[in-house]
Amino acid sequence: LKWGGGGGGEADASAFSMAEGVPGDRKHGDGEDEKDGDEFDVLDMINKGLVVKMGSIASFLFLNSQTEYLDKLVSERSSFVSDFLTQTIEKKETNPLFSGSNKKGGGQQQAVLQQPAEAERYARGSHQAIFLLHLTMQIVVLESQFLSMLLKDNGNLPHSLYSEYVGRIMEVPVDYLIKKWAKTAKDLSHSNPLVLLDMLGEYNSVHRDFMSALRNSEEGGGGTDNAAAYTKMMGLQKTISKACGRSFHEYETRILKQKEKIKSHGAASAPSYGYSKKRGGQKKRLPSDGTVWQGTVKCFSFLVNGLLPYREVLEHPCLRRCSELKEFLRVPKKRKSVSIVGSVILTIIDTLKSTLVEISKRYRNPSLSQIFLLNNYHFISKRIREVGELQSDLKEAGFEKEYSNLMKDAQELYLKYSWDKALEHISVDDSKKILDRCTEQGNKRIPDWWAKSMIKSKFREFNDKFAKQYEDQNIWSVPDADLRSQIRNLNLKKIWDDYKKFYDTYRGVEFSRNMGKHIKYTPRNLRAMLESLLPD
């Protein structure tokens, strides 16, 4: 007996749909029932009239103590189900989620999974494991209904024998599913947490119906005395939960390893983001203008667009109990009220932050290093505050205060590395000593040779160091307008008042025949330059 509409012919794989869920009573991941309407139900594939006739024969055989047919039935049904799953999942022509490639030699079509290149680009529901889950569930439902009609309703087989023989058949699709899912979990735990979360979410959404389908093979849908398949399925959730926990460890490791792939940045003329040939492969360059790192953008795409939609999955009790996930999360005891999804996201952001600090050290210009950190910190802080679902977690974790302090520290270091060397030359602390070496001639002050030399040196050193920093920073990038305005205001506050005081102190001193050679900046044009620094 093979499924096949009204004729009892071969099973048609196209009748099984990943979206259908449980035949006759389907549910989507959001828990809402889907009305069947006029849609095809896979239970219609059972030829009920033929099953009734075969059940009568089974009843006759059992009443006459001829039970050899049961072993034959187990063998035939197990072989059919196994072959059907193999052909449907592993052959190109029946699995839409696979693309085929001719194998050298035999020319047999082999399944090649169309994997996304990066975790950030994974499309929910697109992995073949999801298709396999729904397919297996439908097969279990269909087979249990068929066997119930054949052996219980019409074959009058006692519960004990029914449980024994049907349980052996049910193990076949369950074993196949567990084997494939375990392999997927092992293969993907190092690269794509989203696939595993998707698998776990789909499993959780159909768990009750799947377990019910397995129990339906037993009397009254109750006990589990023969349910080896049932027991195995109960362990599958734990296996995938553990794989999810491990996948976050692996994703974190990927972030940390990024610093090893970054080439130190020196020349400002280097490409904005390129590759440098190194022994053992290619190394990425840092963004030469200190803009937001591509790794930061990708990480946030993963967190906000990829991970956050799986909030319901992450908050499920099976993950709350997962020891691998607990080891991954770094949430202080005082922050126990932070949700699981919030804890995962904040832990990954913390890893990203430490990676950014290490990467910033690859810049030879310490000012540019701080611009890089400011750009990335501001991007992280701004983007995370835009996620409404995380606001209570951010408040509980003290995220805003933490990043406010990080920004403040980076700003102070930026100002220090940018301007302190220039500003130390325009101090007016020794102005009285210098001006005392000047003589009044009408409205002019004429310094002696030592005073002239000191004043010229002050202007020269400031001019050289300011010009160098200005030239470098004029090609740096601060893409966010608010941050750019903050940095410009900080520069004005840091430099302008001190320079104006210095300028006014020595403006009336004739320390050179060519004053313009030494006084290159007036307070007015210095302000204009600082207000246009870090171009839009």
Side-chain angles (χ1 to χ4, degrees):
L1 293 174
K2 312 239 176 171
W3 315 311
E10 294 291 331
D12 181 7
S14 64
F16 294 91
S17 168
M18 179 170 61
E20 282 182 342
V22 180
D25 184 22
R26 297 188 287 273
K27 291 180 181 291
H28 289 300
D30 55 10
E32 296 183 2
D33 293 339
E34 178 188 329
K35 295 181 180 180
D36 291 339
D38 296 329
E39 294 180 5
F40 176 75
D41 193 324
V42 293
L43 292 181
D44 294 335
M45 296 170 68
I46 299 176
N47 187 329
K48 298 178 177 63
L50 183 57
V51 173
V52 170
K53 294 178 182 179
M54 298 302 295
S56 299
I57 297 173
S59 178
F60 174 81
L61 292 172
F62 177 74
L63 291 174
N64 286 275
S65 302
Q66 299 181 37
T67 58
E68 295 85 357
Y69 77 93
L70 290 172
D71 289 321
K72 180 67 172 175
L73 178 69
V74 170
S75 176
E76 291 289 337
R77 299 311 301 171
S78 297
S79 177
F80 172 68
V81 170
S82 178
D83 291 346
F84 179 80
L85 280 168
T86 301
Q87 292 176 11
T88 304
I89 293 297
E90 299 178 14
K91 295 298 177 65
K92 171 190 174 183
E93 59 271 15
T94 54
N95 189 344
L97 298 179
F98 277 68
S99 62
S101 61
N102 285 323
K103 189 176 181 181
K104 293 182 180 180
Q108 183 180 359
Q109 291 290 338
Q110 297 295 315
V112 180
L113 181 61
Q114 296 176 337
Q115 287 276 27
E118 298 172 341
E120 296 81 4
R121 298 181 181 180
Y122 173 68
R124 192 167 191 172
S126 64
H127 197 273
Q128 61 105 4
I130 308 299
F131 175 77
L132 173 59
L133 173 68
H134 288 275
L135 177 65
T136 304
M137 184 174 69
Q138 291 174 25
I139 289 175
V140 167
V141 170
L142 185 59
E143 193 71 9
S144 65
Q145 290 290 330
F146 161 65
L147 293 170
S148 180
M149 292 172 59
L150 176 67
L151 299 178
K152 289 178 67 175
D153 299 344
N154 297 286
N156 296 316
L157 195 68
H159 170 61
S160 58
L161 287 176
Y162 178 81
S163 296
E164 177 187 348
Y165 286 96
V166 172
R168 286 158 57 186
I169 297 172
M170 290 300 156
E171 284 189 68
V172 174
V174 169
D175 284 344
Y176 186 89
L177 173 67
I178 291 174
K179 178 182 176 182
K180 290 293 184 182
W181 270 43
K183 185 178 186 304
T184 299
K186 180 179 179 181
D187 292 345
L188 291 177
S189 63
H190 66 284
S191 61
N192 203 334
L194 300 185
V195 175
L196 293 164
L197 286 172
D198 199 13
M199 290 168 62
L200 184 60
E202 286 295 322
Y203 177 88
N204 291 340
S205 70
V206 302
H207 172 78
R208 181 179 298 178
D209 292 325
F210 208 137
M211 295 299 106
S212 177
L214 290 174
R215 285 195 298 265
N216 281 341
S217 63
E218 300 165 279
E219 191 173 71
T224 58
D225 53 320
N226 76 331
Y230 180 89
T231 303
K232 291 176 181 179
M233 282 301 297
M234 290 295 290
L236 182 59
Q237 184 186 62
K238 185 175 182 180
T239 298
I240 301 304
S241 297
K242 286 179 172 292
C244 284
R246 290 194 301 270
S247 72
F248 287 116
H249 284 281
E250 297 292 343
Y251 186 81
E252 181 180 47
T253 301
R254 283 177 56 200
I255 296 176
L256 291 170
K257 285 184 176 180
Q258 290 298 309
K259 61 179 179 288
E260 300 172 6
K261 300 178 181 180
I262 298 294
K263 179 180 182 292
S264 296
H265 176 270
S269 60
S272 177
Y273 203 88
Y275 293 91
S276 174
K277 289 286 186 179
K278 288 284 183 183
R279 184 178 298 175
Q282 291 181 329
K283 284 202 172 187
K284 296 179 181 179
R285 287 196 180 101
L286 284 167
S288 62
D289 55 4
T291 191
V292 179
W293 181 44
Q294 188 180 9
T296 303
V297 177
K298 284 186 176 182
C299 183
F300 260 78
S301 175
F302 168 76
L303 294 177
V304 177
N305 302 323
L307 191 62
L308 197 58
Y310 291 98
R311 179 172 194 140
E312 184 178 346
V313 182
L314 285 161
E315 299 295 339
H316 194 276
C318 66
L319 277 180
R320 286 185 171 272
R321 295 189 298 265
C322 178
S323 58
E324 285 79 3
L325 185 60
K326 289 179 180 179
E327 292 171 3
F328 169 74
L329 300 177
R330 295 186 294 274
V331 181
K333 292 182 179 180
K334 63 181 181 180
R335 300 180 186 174
K336 287 298 183 182
S337 59
V338 177
S339 66
I340 295 295
V341 67
S343 298
V344 170
I345 288 176
L346 289 172
T347 299
I348 292 176
I349 290 177
D350 188 60
T351 301
L352 175 62
K353 178 191 71 177
S354 62
T355 301
L356 289 169
V357 171
E358 291 300 314
I359 289 176
S360 71
K361 296 176 183 177
R362 300 295 179 93
Y363 285 102
R364 294 193 180 97
N365 187 325
S367 300
L368 182 55
S369 175
Q370 299 307 312
I371 286 291
F372 173 78
L373 289 176
L374 284 169
N375 275 324
N376 284 274
Y377 288 161
H378 186 78
F379 177 87
I380 291 171
S381 179
K382 184 175 181 179
R383 286 296 308 277
I384 202 69
R385 288 200 306 268
E386 293 172 353
V387 183
E389 302 96 312
L390 293 176
Q391 294 313 300
S392 61
D393 289 330
L394 297 178
K395 183 177 180 180
E396 180 67 28
F399 179 87
E400 188 170 347
K401 181 179 180 180
E402 177 187 358
Y403 269 76
S404 176
N405 290 334
L406 287 173
M407 290 289 292
K408 183 178 178 180
D409 292 344
Q411 287 169 352
E412 290 177 353
L413 288 174
Y414 160 75
L415 293 172
K416 173 185 176 182
Y417 294 137
S418 296
W419 312 119
D420 275 9
K421 288 184 178 180
L423 291 176
E424 69 183 19
H425 295 287
I426 59 172
S427 171
V428 294
D429 292 344
D430 58 351
S431 60
K432 185 177 184 305
K433 182 178 179 180
I434 293 174
L435 294 176
D436 285 346
R437 303 285 290 265
C438 300
T439 57
E440 299 285 344
Q441 295 184 7
N443 294 328
K444 298 179 182 181
R445 284 184 172 183
I446 307 299
D448 62 14
W449 66 269
W450 179 85
K452 286 182 180 180
S453 176
M454 290 295 295
I455 298 172
K456 288 179 181 180
S457 175
K458 287 177 176 290
F459 274 102
R460 181 176 64 253
E461 292 296 331
F462 174 82
N463 293 340
D464 290 347
K465 289 177 171 54
F466 177 83
K468 178 64 172 64
Q469 280 294 326
Y470 186 82
E471 180 183 4
D472 288 345
Q473 297 194 27
N474 216 30
I475 60 172
W476 296 352
S477 174
V478 179
D480 186 87
D482 291 336
L483 178 60
R484 190 165 59 244
S485 178
Q486 289 177 31
I487 295 174
R488 286 173 175 173
N489 289 334
L490 288 170
N491 285 334
L492 277 170
K493 185 178 180 181
K494 176 78 172 181
I495 300 172
W496 193 79
D497 287 341
D498 285 353
Y499 183 79
K500 186 176 186 303
K501 187 176 182 180
F502 168 76
Y503 176 86
D504 290 342
T505 298
Y506 297 109
R507 181 177 54 177
V509 179
E510 293 286 341
F511 59 89
S512 173
R513 294 179 181 179
N514 186 2
M515 297 291 285
K517 176 182 177 181
H518 302 282
I519 304 178
K520 292 185 176 181
Y521 310 107
T522 65
R524 181 176 181 180
N525 62 28
L526 185 70
R527 172 183 283 276
M529 292 175 71
L530 292 171
E531 288 176 345
S532 65
L533 190 61
L534 303 170
D536 299 350

